[in-house]
Amino acid sequence: MASPAKYPLGDKIRQSPPVDLSIPYDPAWLKGKTILITGGASGFGAGFVRKWAANGATVVVGDINVQKGDALVRDVQKETGNSSVHFVHCDVTDWQSQVNLFKEAVRLSPHGGIDTVVANAGIAGDDPLQRPGKLDIAEPPEPNFKIIDVNLNGVLYTTHLAFFYLPRNPGSVDCNVNSDPTTNPRDRHLLLLGSIASLAPIPIQPQYGAAKHAVLGLFRSIRSSSFVQGVRVNLLCPYFIDTPIVTTGARIALAGGALGKVEDVVDAATRFTADSRILGRSLVIGPKLNVKQQENGEWTLVAKGSPEGQETAIWEAYAEDWEDSEAFCRSLVGALNTYQKARGWAGWAKDIIGALGYGLGFNRG
Ligand SMILES: NC(=O)c1ccc[n+]([C@@H]2O[C@H](COP(=O)([O-])OP(=O)(O)OC[C@H]3O[C@@H](n4cnc5c(N)ncnc54)[C@H](O)[C@@H]3O)[C@@H](O)[C@H]2O)c1
């Protein structure tokens, strides 16, 4: 991992240095973790479930699609021999439905806590925002904002619940860039699903683009202060990847360009989830390309097999942005650090008593 000293403000918000993808991680570090995934019945979510269950994690899938969710869980239990894979019906747009999912995950967790929350549920498709009806209609029709409800409001509910439950993970300590992932420590990790649509415009999908830009804003805001609760937050920004969310229209528009693969998104998500030393980072995932990095940091395409190039599908998205933060962020981060220092030993003792009480069954809601 690169030296944190190069990133002084990143250090203050406990953000780890840019991810060095050449450093290997071991999916076996997931063993014993309890992971909650929204929208885990299909696509990326199903890929995460398969990989993480195969490596000994307890996985709780919340999805609106009961048929797919049940079938996936049955298959994965059979394939992996891991019986700690569960499906819970959940509609992420419904607050109580998400509360029930989190409570169920805590109940099913062998250690009574949640180590990682993945805010993955999402939809795309027909967006009426720019089509308010024919010119001869007198009354404007009420728009359908379902895409915002699922992809933004649902993610905000998940985030809020993650900040409630992750610090209550018994035995977990504040996330730390110097933690040792090989010892399978109890974690406090929130993984958000952004998109290439978080970083670039996406024509004819304005709600999707707005929601995913908002998820990026959410990530960049909360990662600067989540150290107060000891929670690490990371973000995935996949390009178009071959899952059912990519419509026929999008596939036609992309003809000639490549779709990325689910396995590469699973790889990036597994690195984030398994390696407790990664805090506040974002990775873009696309089709595999042969590239070479220039001295100024920019990447250029090179011929396949070229000895100076490398093949990769995963890219660091926000290498050093915190170092350019303005006065408001700097002084707020300073105040939060002072607050944390002031809590000192008394704050630590209070948290330990809370965690022990939780272990004994108190304050479990
Ligand atoms: N595939 C891509 O190209 C791509 C690219 C960038 C980002 N993403 C994002 O990745 C995430 C996963 O997408 P995917 O590609 O695996 O798609 P997918 O359609 O295969 O999976 C999405 C899952 O979300 C579930 N879901 C939908 N509405 C829900 C609700 N109200 N409550 C609970 N679950 C609900 C669906 O039932 C489905 O199982 C989404 O947030 C998506 O926006 C996908």
Side-chain angles (χ1 to χ4, degrees):
M1 198 136 319
S3 156
K6 202 176 151 216
Y7 306 97
L9 196 59
D11 198 27
K12 286 270 177 297
I13 62 170
R14 323 289 200 270
Q15 179 186 303
S16 52
V19 180
D20 182 344
L21 296 166
S22 67
I23 295 181
Y25 68 90
D26 188 347
W29 297 342
L30 293 169
K31 192 171 166 55
K33 289 193 195 295
T34 296
I35 304 171
L36 178 156
I37 309 172
T38 68
S42 168
F44 302 163
F48 302 157
V49 179
R50 284 182 200 284
K51 178 83 176 184
W52 300 347
N55 283 283
T58 291
V59 190
V60 181
V61 176
D63 201 293
I64 203 165
N65 191 328
V66 177
Q67 214 183 353
K68 253 185 161 175
D70 270 340
L72 173 76
V73 162
R74 265 199 312 274
D75 278 2
V76 174
Q77 284 182 349
K78 212 164 34 186
E79 278 167 23
T80 61
N82 181 346
S83 57
S84 294
V85 187
H86 310 278
F87 176 74
V88 179
H89 172 262
C90 172
D91 178 350
V92 292
T93 64
D94 179 338
W95 165 248
Q96 196 52 51
S97 183
Q98 284 219 45
V99 171
N100 295 345
L101 169 65
F102 276 75
K103 284 189 174 167
E104 197 54 10
V106 167
R107 194 186 67 77
L108 293 164
S109 172
H111 56 69
I114 304 171
D115 295 278
T116 284
V117 170
V118 189
N120 170 72
I123 56 170
D126 186 44
D127 188 338
L129 192 77
Q130 289 174 292
R131 290 185 281 104
K134 294 201 173 115
L135 287 178
D136 57 357
I137 300 177
E139 279 296 310
E142 189 178 340
N144 177 341
F145 285 163
K146 183 84 184 160
I147 297 175
I148 289 286
D149 279 346
V150 176
N151 296 6
L152 178 55
N153 297 338
V155 173
L156 295 177
Y157 282 158
T158 309
T159 300
H160 187 63
L161 285 163
F163 275 95
F164 183 88
Y165 281 99
L166 290 172
R168 287 169 171 76
N169 182 13
S172 66
V173 292
D174 287 355
C175 57
N176 188 338
V177 69
N178 296 315
S179 60
D180 178 0
T182 63
T183 59
N184 303 99
R186 296 271 68 77
D187 205 354
R188 300 179 191 167
H189 177 217
L190 170 62
L191 180 59
L192 298 172
L193 255 295
S195 164
I196 195 69
S198 300
L199 310 169
I202 178 152
I204 68 167
Q205 288 279 298
Q207 283 188 61
Y208 190 86
K212 292 298 184 183
H213 270 61
V215 171
L216 174 65
L218 173 72
F219 161 71
R220 295 179 73 191
S221 301
I222 59 178
R223 74 171 170 168
S224 64
S225 54
S226 67
F227 69 82
V228 175
Q229 291 92 357
V231 173
R232 60 191 187 101
V233 184
N234 292 302
L235 174 78
L236 296 169
C237 288
Y239 183 66
F240 291 86
I241 312 284
D242 192 2
T243 74
I245 207 173
V246 183
T247 58
T248 308
R251 286 168 195 264
I252 291 169
L254 280 166
L259 280 175
K261 295 207 167 111
V262 172
E263 66 200 39
D264 292 318
V265 180
V266 172
D267 180 19
T270 305
R271 177 183 289 278
F272 274 151
T273 305
D275 194 339
S276 54
R277 298 166 298 183
I278 305 179
L279 285 66
R281 305 294 345 166
S282 170
L283 292 172
V284 170
I285 305 100
K288 276 205 166 74
L289 298 172
N290 290 283
V291 287
K292 180 183 171 206
Q293 191 161 28
Q294 307 296 325
E295 281 196 0
N296 65 5
E298 281 185 18
W299 296 88
T300 45
L301 283 173
V302 296
K304 198 170 179 173
S306 155
E308 49 176 11
Q310 65 183 91
E311 191 183 51
T312 184
I314 305 177
W315 316 75
E316 167 77 45
Y318 275 98
E320 293 169 36
D321 61 330
W322 258 94
E323 298 318 313
D324 299 325
S325 290
E326 39 59 74
F328 176 78
C329 288
R330 283 186 183 271
S331 59
L332 208 64
V333 165
L336 288 173
N337 276 284
T338 310
Y339 162 76
Q340 232 210 0
K341 234 187 214 157
R343 285 189 81 222
W345 283 104
W348 178 84
K350 188 167 169 262
D351 288 352
I352 291 292
I353 292 166
L356 290 174
Y358 189 90
L360 292 172
F362 298 112
N363 299 324
R364 285 208 183 177

